[in-house]
Amino acid sequence: MIKSPEKLADTTIQFSAPVRANSPELQQLFDFIALGASERDRDRILPYNVVELIRRSRLGALRIPVAEGGGGSTARELFEVVIRLGDADPNVAHIVRNHFSVTERILRSERTPRNRRWLKAVADGAIIGLASTELEVKRSGGGQVANTKLTPDGDGYRLNGTKYYSTGSLYADLIFVRVLVPDGTKAFILIPTNREGIDLVDDWDGFGQRLTGTGTTTFTNVRVEADEVIFETDTDKDNLPYNIVPQLFLTAINAGIIRSVLRDATALVRTRPRTFYHAVSEQASEDPILQQTVGQIAANAFAAEAIVLAAADGLDRLPAAQAQGEEAETAAALATSLSASKAKLIVDDLALRSATLLFEVGGASTTKKSSNFDRHWRNARTLSSHNPNHFKARAIGDYEINGTPLPQRGFF
């Protein structure tokens, strides 16, 4: 059962405009988000208040250059922030995943008046959601479209169709939609979510990441202006050969979950009033077995963060490669995509193992629903299920053995 959205909580956080990656108010924001994360997950309270604070902070403008009203962060700094936000609340981090993916696409495109308008909206706090997946296609991912179509309407279009797994759109101001244009080719549109004819439904019933708004979106005779359509032949189409940002984003959230597991495990050992019957110490904090377990979780958290940031460094090298020409950019993007794929294999495993180790620290009492410690495993498992790892491992192996490039689309 979905509880009513929370009212916007009182907070003394005063945001600069916009918030920067290492600013004190950003940590204050994450601390505030973390306070209610477990309760929201346990009781399925949709985090509208938290998203509103993110909107006010203009966190979504983190990657926009300072000269264009943004935070001017590097890719590495972005993923440092994603890890911290995943630590505070992985649901909230997942909500803004598509926002940053779409913003990155616009940033790497020509600064047309349309793109400047969209970037200005993000710099002012707008959040972008995504509606791409259709259940009618035979293969998930890859940008396939079956029923979401534009039809001519004067100097613009009308949009009809249904999308699923529209993560983040429930909370968004704008929605990025893959569509079929009248000639049968594919395109994207970016339109306001409050436009007449758009119906956002919170019908996601997964056991993890339950608050992400990953539901159904229906478009019924929605008006679309001509300059809201991005055709595949446009000069501002996606100029990266691999979908790296959305892929690495989920891995970074899992790295954040490990940090959250470490915090809970440490607090459990420090505050336990009793210990196990066969324990070698009367005090839990002095038990070498528990110390070893917490130490392993800490090492997992360190490794996961290091791996994610190493892959993010590849994204920061892409502009220099692009300046050297298409061949250099493609090679650099391939290397970064490989790094992101390898990172997923390792970090997903570390997250799931760490979430299990938490119960080794706390024992049967940690399985109480009121504690909600199982959220870590549920959320990590759900995130890990995006493009199952055996497909990743096979593609990596094929590249290492045969030099076969990773798929260019849908591989996230």
Side-chain angles (χ1 to χ4, degrees):
M1 182 176 182
I2 305 172
K3 288 200 172 183
S4 300
E6 296 171 289
K7 293 181 179 179
L8 184 61
D10 292 333
T11 175
T12 59
I13 305 173
Q14 300 296 318
F15 297 113
S16 58
V19 70
R20 299 294 180 88
N22 297 313
S23 62
E25 61 264 33
L26 183 59
Q27 187 56 54
Q28 289 179 316
L29 173 62
F30 290 166
D31 290 343
F32 176 82
I33 292 172
L35 283 176
S38 179
E39 179 186 5
R40 286 191 298 268
D41 180 278
R42 185 190 65 217
D43 298 337
R44 205 165 193 278
I45 302 171
L46 299 177
Y48 285 104
N49 67 331
V50 169
V51 176
E52 178 58 27
L53 286 175
I54 289 175
R55 189 177 282 112
R56 290 184 187 181
S57 74
R58 294 161 60 186
L59 178 64
L62 204 61
R63 284 279 283 154
I64 296 177
V66 173
E68 296 179 79
S73 293
T74 64
R76 182 187 180 92
E77 289 172 331
L78 168 64
F79 283 97
E80 287 174 343
V81 168
V82 175
I83 292 170
R84 291 164 60 193
L85 184 54
D87 177 6
D89 188 334
N91 281 280
V92 175
H94 199 173
I95 285 169
V96 296
R97 174 211 186 199
N98 290 323
H99 169 89
F100 282 104
S101 299
V102 175
T103 301
E104 196 74 17
R105 176 187 176 119
I106 299 172
L107 281 170
R108 293 181 179 277
S109 302
E110 181 184 345
R111 291 299 194 270
T112 61
R114 171 184 65 188
N115 286 349
R116 291 185 185 279
R117 183 177 76 244
W118 285 337
L119 289 177
K120 175 65 164 54
V122 172
D124 289 341
I127 302 296
I128 302 174
L130 176 70
S132 181
T133 301
E134 297 185 13
L135 297 184
E136 293 79 6
V137 300
K138 293 184 178 181
R139 293 174 180 265
S140 62
Q144 299 184 70
V145 185
N147 68 26
T148 311
K149 302 175 181 179
L150 294 177
T151 56
D153 180 44
D155 57 355
Y157 303 91
R158 291 287 172 176
L159 172 66
N160 289 277
T162 302
K163 298 287 189 179
Y164 303 90
Y165 307 129
S166 309
T167 303
S169 297
L170 193 67
Y171 310 94
D173 305 288
L174 299 166
I175 188 167
F176 197 61
V177 190
R178 182 174 280 275
V179 300
L180 286 176
V181 294
D183 66 2
T185 59
K186 290 177 287 191
F188 282 105
I189 62 171
L190 184 58
I191 57 177
T193 54
N194 63 359
R195 188 164 291 178
E196 185 178 358
I198 299 178
D199 186 23
L200 302 167
V201 182
D202 181 38
D203 56 359
W204 167 243
D205 64 350
F207 63 65
Q209 296 298 98
R210 303 193 307 147
L211 310 178
T212 58
T214 305
T216 302
T217 304
T218 302
F219 303 94
T220 305
N221 208 32
V222 178
R223 173 69 182 181
V224 177
E225 304 302 333
D227 71 345
E228 295 173 325
V229 183
I230 305 173
F231 294 97
E232 291 287 3
T233 55
D234 284 0
T235 56
D236 60 356
K237 69 179 181 178
D238 187 0
N239 56 17
L240 279 176
Y242 305 98
N243 293 303
I244 301 166
V245 171
Q247 173 182 199
L248 191 59
F249 210 96
L250 297 179
T251 307
I253 299 173
N254 261 345
I257 287 175
I258 305 175
R259 287 176 47 157
S260 185
V261 170
L262 175 61
R263 187 172 62 251
D264 281 344
T266 302
L268 273 172
V269 175
R270 285 176 177 167
T271 60
R272 281 194 64 160
R274 59 179 187 158
T275 190
F276 297 101
Y277 179 80
H278 295 287
V280 299
S281 173
E282 292 293 328
Q283 189 171 342
S285 61
E286 300 298 326
D287 190 307
I289 301 298
L290 299 182
Q291 292 172 347
Q292 179 188 30
T293 305
V294 172
Q296 183 63 62
I297 298 172
N300 292 349
F302 170 80
E305 183 168 349
I307 291 169
V308 168
L309 296 182
D313 287 339
L315 286 167
D316 282 325
R317 290 191 288 267
L318 285 178
Q322 184 179 19
Q324 297 173 21
E326 185 176 349
E327 184 177 346
E329 182 192 15
T330 299
L334 171 61
T336 306
S337 185
L338 279 167
S339 296
S341 296
K342 293 172 183 176
K344 172 180 165 55
L345 292 180
I346 301 304
V347 175
D348 285 357
D349 181 60
L350 292 177
L352 293 168
R353 281 198 278 158
S354 298
T356 297
L357 286 174
L358 177 60
F359 295 96
E360 300 296 332
V361 167
S365 62
T366 56
T367 66
K368 294 188 297 183
K369 287 184 178 180
S370 58
S371 299
N372 198 34
F373 289 131
D374 65 302
R375 75 186 188 280
H376 298 305
W377 189 92
R378 290 187 288 102
N379 291 333
R381 178 65 270 178
T382 301
L383 290 164
S384 302
S385 297
H386 289 70
N387 277 143
N389 281 343
H390 45 251
F391 290 111
K392 291 281 186 186
R394 189 215 62 82
I396 294 168
D398 192 15
Y399 171 78
E400 296 292 345
I401 296 169
N402 302 310
T404 305
L406 271 63
Q408 293 189 16
R409 289 189 180 273
F411 200 58
F412 61 93

